Amino acid sequence: MPPKTGDPGDKTLSENRLTTRQETKRLGRTLIAEDNEEIKDMRKGRKYLEEKQLLWPPGEPITLSAIVACLHQTSALANVPKPVINAIRSIAFILEEVEKTAMQEALKDAIDSQMDELHKNLATLVSEATKKVDAHLNTKLDEMTTGMDKFNNLIQKAEETRQPATRSHTEEDTNSRRTARSYAEVIAASTKGINPRLAAKEGIKARQFMLEGVANNAKLSHLTDNQIKDELNRTIMQQGFEGKCIRSATKQRLGGLLLEMHNENAAEWIRSQENRDALCATLGPGPTFRGRTYQMIALNISLLLDPTNKEHLKEITEVNHLEDDTISAIRWAKPIARRSPGQRSAHLILTFTDVNEANRAVANGLTICNKKARIEKVKKEPTRCLKCQGWNHFAKECLEDHDTCGNCAEHHRTSLCPNPTKKACVSCKTDAHASWSRTCPIFLKKTEECNRRFPENALTFIPSSDPWTWIENNENRPNPRETRNAQEKLIDQNLRKYDWYGNDQPDPMDDWYTSKMPDWAGDNPTNHQQNNHEERNRPPTRPTAADYI
């Protein structure tokens, strides 16, 4: 009797039956009767796939990519049911995703490993570099400390061996010496951008002092410059100063005596008011030291101001919070007789006795006649003779036999010109402007040459012990080459227009000369230089006693 279906003893039925989905889920894989199957291990399976050319190329290592390709080839075989094809392709796609995820994980692990290694190497490198830098800095700091100690010792020895003045100083004088800075110290502290000629010139001026009243002193008036120098050095040595004090002594035209000290130590000695009084007392009655003054110009001041009225000067000092003796004098830059009809303002010259207050006025301006006025320092400009309208000399030094008018260039005085409206320039032979015109090309050329000869014109402030006063004003400064070319072109046009090249007169551009004060002629001729009285009252054009201490 045949066995019943489903009998546990029926082995064949048990081996050949299909595995249910629940059993596969429970056992983890499908149960297959191994005895009835041809493929029982991986080696036979690979051989079978290679023979059927489903796994290619043969003999190569098996990878997920090779298995995926094999599955796709299997799904393409003939007579394969549709469900089997879908199942095989699904497995292939799943394996592809598994491979991609595995590769990403492997790449991430590799990158993490490399970054950890790099971080460790960088940490080690930074630590070693830090140690080396610290060691190097410590070594250099030790060397600098040792060098500073040596330098301080040298300074201390130099101070101990320096020849001191034997007089006693008050506490106020000692504090002022500690805080004051000389020209030499300022230049040594900041030499960048300072013109060397200007630095040397200002350094010499800082060691110059003006001694007045020598002409009235019976002890010094009959001596020569060298004899006066020797006599003063002898007197100063008797007062306790050791070494050379006065380098030179030069008599001035107005009766003063210009003293130049030998070095900064001597200049510091003579700056003391106590030493000055002792020196003047030894020389006898008459000689006194005069302070240096500084000429400044206030632009466009109301003509209601009266420079001769002391109350007006006092009002200027009070309104601007200045000491009474800060401004010693004021005057109009141009004589009243030469003003234009209907003129309401003019330029005012102010004489300062304190360089710091003068520079402060340039920086902040001054309140004059209830108006904020712009202040500038008086710059050096070329000298023009008001007799022959030439250059390089003054009217009292002119060798011409006749006067030349600054308006029409004819042979008469400018003040006696019968036709003041007629214009003619003696320098460039043109009737486009008068000889006194500040737009004259010759005047512009000489002004440019004057600026090159006097580099202090490029400074906005008067050089002092403050480093900022030595800075040049380069704002809105034209290109010198372009300016020079334009001026030369203008001069050439004027000279050719009036056939100047065809005559035998000397070239007016061959003569170059500069002076102290500018010609504030404005739009009117300057003729006051031809009269002896007006010559004494006009703005000074050469260094005088007021320019020195």
Side-chain angles (χ1 to χ4, degrees):
M1 181 177 180
K4 295 180 180 180
T5 305
D7 188 354
D10 189 357
K11 183 177 181 181
T12 302
L13 181 60
S14 176
E15 291 176 351
N16 295 332
R17 69 182 179 85
L18 296 175
T19 305
T20 63
R21 187 174 298 175
Q22 288 78 7
E23 292 176 347
T24 303
K25 188 175 182 180
R26 178 173 55 84
L27 299 175
R29 62 184 181 88
T30 304
L31 297 177
I32 299 175
E34 298 293 338
D35 294 338
N36 298 331
E37 300 296 335
E38 294 180 1
I39 307 303
K40 296 183 178 181
D41 54 23
M42 187 274 293
R43 182 177 59 81
K44 290 182 179 182
R46 177 169 182 169
K47 183 178 180 181
Y48 175 79
L49 294 175
E50 289 177 353
E51 288 176 354
K52 297 298 182 178
Q53 295 186 352
L54 298 177
L55 185 62
W56 196 265
E60 292 295 329
I62 298 176
T63 61
L64 284 176
S65 298
I67 294 175
V68 170
C70 180
L71 291 174
H72 284 296
Q73 292 291 335
T74 303
S75 65
L77 293 176
N79 300 323
V80 179
K82 190 67 174 179
V84 177
I85 293 175
N86 294 336
I88 294 175
R89 290 179 60 83
S90 299
I91 296 173
F93 288 127
I94 293 173
L95 291 178
E96 286 182 355
E97 187 65 25
V98 171
E99 181 185 20
K100 186 184 297 184
T101 304
M103 290 180 63
Q104 291 178 352
E105 292 294 334
L107 181 61
K108 180 178 179 300
D109 294 339
I111 292 176
D112 292 342
S113 177
Q114 293 294 331
M115 291 300 296
D116 292 340
E117 188 69 21
L118 179 61
H119 183 268
K120 293 179 181 179
N121 293 337
L122 287 176
T124 303
L125 180 62
V126 170
S127 178
E128 294 178 355
T130 303
K131 293 180 180 179
K132 292 181 180 180
V133 170
D134 292 341
H136 181 72
L137 289 177
N138 292 333
T139 303
K140 292 300 181 181
L141 287 175
D142 293 340
E143 294 177 358
M144 292 177 62
T145 303
T146 304
M148 289 298 297
D149 293 339
K150 293 181 180 180
F151 184 70
N152 292 333
N153 293 334
L154 291 176
I155 293 178
Q156 185 177 2
K157 292 180 180 179
E159 290 293 337
E160 292 175 355
T161 56
R162 183 179 178 182
Q163 298 176 350
T166 56
R167 69 178 182 89
S168 60
H169 304 285
T170 62
E171 181 178 357
E172 180 180 359
D173 187 25
T174 303
N175 294 333
S176 63
R177 286 174 177 270
R178 291 177 180 175
T179 57
R181 301 180 66 188
S182 64
Y183 283 91
E185 291 173 341
V186 173
I187 297 172
S190 177
T191 58
K192 184 178 180 181
I194 297 180
N195 188 295
R197 288 184 56 194
L198 177 60
K201 182 177 180 180
E202 294 298 327
I204 294 174
K205 288 175 61 177
R207 298 195 303 270
Q208 291 179 341
F209 300 88
M210 179 62 67
L211 186 64
E212 291 187 331
V214 177
N216 301 328
N217 184 269
K219 185 176 181 180
L220 301 177
S221 59
H222 64 282
L223 300 179
T224 64
D225 291 347
N226 288 333
Q227 290 174 344
I228 292 177
K229 180 189 71 173
D230 295 338
E231 179 65 23
L232 293 177
N233 278 329
R234 220 173 5 254
T235 303
I236 293 174
M237 290 181 64
Q238 292 175 359
Q239 295 182 3
F241 184 86
E242 299 180 2
K244 296 182 180 179
C245 185
I246 299 177
R247 180 182 179 274
S248 65
T250 307
K251 290 182 179 180
Q252 301 298 297
R253 178 170 55 89
L254 299 179
L257 184 66
L258 180 62
L259 304 179
E260 180 182 348
M261 313 313 291
H262 190 270
N263 50 36
E264 184 64 28
N265 188 24
E268 191 69 21
W269 187 89
I270 205 68
R271 288 191 186 100
S272 171
Q273 188 63 39
E274 181 182 352
N275 292 336
R276 290 186 181 187
D277 296 340
L279 179 61
C280 293
T282 305
L283 297 177
T288 57
F289 281 90
R290 181 175 181 179
R292 188 186 298 272
T293 58
Y294 307 92
Q295 301 288 331
M296 313 300 290
I297 182 167
L299 305 181
N300 302 321
I301 304 302
S302 174
L303 296 182
L304 298 177
L305 177 70
D306 184 8
T308 60
N309 191 336
K310 294 184 179 180
E311 293 297 325
H312 289 192
L313 175 58
K314 183 178 180 181
E315 180 182 356
I316 294 176
T317 57
E318 290 179 354
V319 170
N320 293 279
H321 307 289
L322 302 175
E323 298 293 336
D324 294 339
D325 57 347
T326 302
I327 302 179
S328 60
I330 56 176
R331 59 178 174 82
W332 294 115
K334 185 169 61 176
I336 299 177
R338 291 170 36 232
R339 290 176 180 171
S340 302
Q343 184 174 344
R344 297 183 178 181
S345 62
H347 299 334
L348 185 70
I349 300 294
L350 303 97
T351 302
F352 280 79
T353 59
D354 188 346
V355 62
N356 295 323
E357 293 295 341
N359 287 331
R360 189 176 291 106
V362 175
N364 302 327
L366 292 178
T367 301
I368 303 177
C369 295
N370 297 325
K371 179 183 177 182
K372 197 71 169 182
R374 178 181 176 184
I375 309 298
E376 295 181 356
K377 73 173 185 178
V378 176
K379 299 181 180 180
K380 301 180 186 297
E381 290 190 357
T383 299
R384 180 173 60 88
C385 175
L386 302 182
K387 180 179 181 182
C388 68
Q389 309 305 323
W391 306 91
N392 196 28
H393 61 277
F394 299 99
K396 64 180 181 180
E397 301 169 348
C398 185
L399 301 179
E400 294 292 335
D401 297 332
H402 55 80
D403 294 321
T404 301
C405 179
N407 292 325
C408 61
E410 295 180 0
H411 292 171
H412 55 260
R413 286 193 175 189
T414 305
S415 59
L416 303 177
C417 181
N419 190 10
T421 60
K422 182 181 178 181
K423 306 299 181 184
C425 181
V426 176
S427 299
C428 56
K429 308 301 184 215
T430 178
D431 57 1
H433 56 266
S435 300
W436 42 261
S437 175
R438 298 176 66 83
T439 61
C440 175
I442 302 298
F443 174 77
L444 297 178
K445 288 288 292 184
K446 290 183 177 295
T447 301
E448 181 184 351
E449 176 66 17
C450 180
N451 292 336
R452 289 196 294 268
R453 293 184 59 186
F454 294 93
E456 58 267 29
N457 281 356
L459 301 180
T460 303
F461 301 94
I462 301 174
S464 67
S465 58
D466 295 321
W468 52 268
T469 60
W470 293 78
I471 301 176
E472 293 187 6
N473 182 16
N474 296 321
E475 296 181 358
N476 302 325
R477 177 179 294 183
N479 189 325
R481 179 175 297 178
E482 296 178 359
T483 304
R484 186 160 51 253
N485 293 339
Q487 293 173 352
E488 291 176 354
K489 183 178 180 180
L490 180 59
I491 294 172
D492 185 71
Q493 290 176 354
N494 291 334
L495 297 182
R496 291 185 184 278
K497 177 180 178 181
Y498 295 94
D499 196 22
W500 184 86
Y501 289 110
N503 57 41
D504 295 329
Q505 297 183 10
D507 187 348
M509 296 177 60
D510 291 340
D511 180 25
W512 299 97
Y513 186 76
T514 53
S515 66
K516 165 72 176 173
M517 297 288 293
D519 180 9
W520 303 104
D523 297 329
N524 294 318
T526 52
N527 50 34
H528 61 287
Q529 193 178 1
Q530 298 170 351
N531 183 274
N532 291 334
H533 177 71
E534 294 178 349
E535 170 72 16
R536 291 192 298 269
N537 295 333
R538 71 178 183 85
T541 54
R542 289 184 174 179
T544 62
D547 298 324
Y548 305 96
I549 294 179

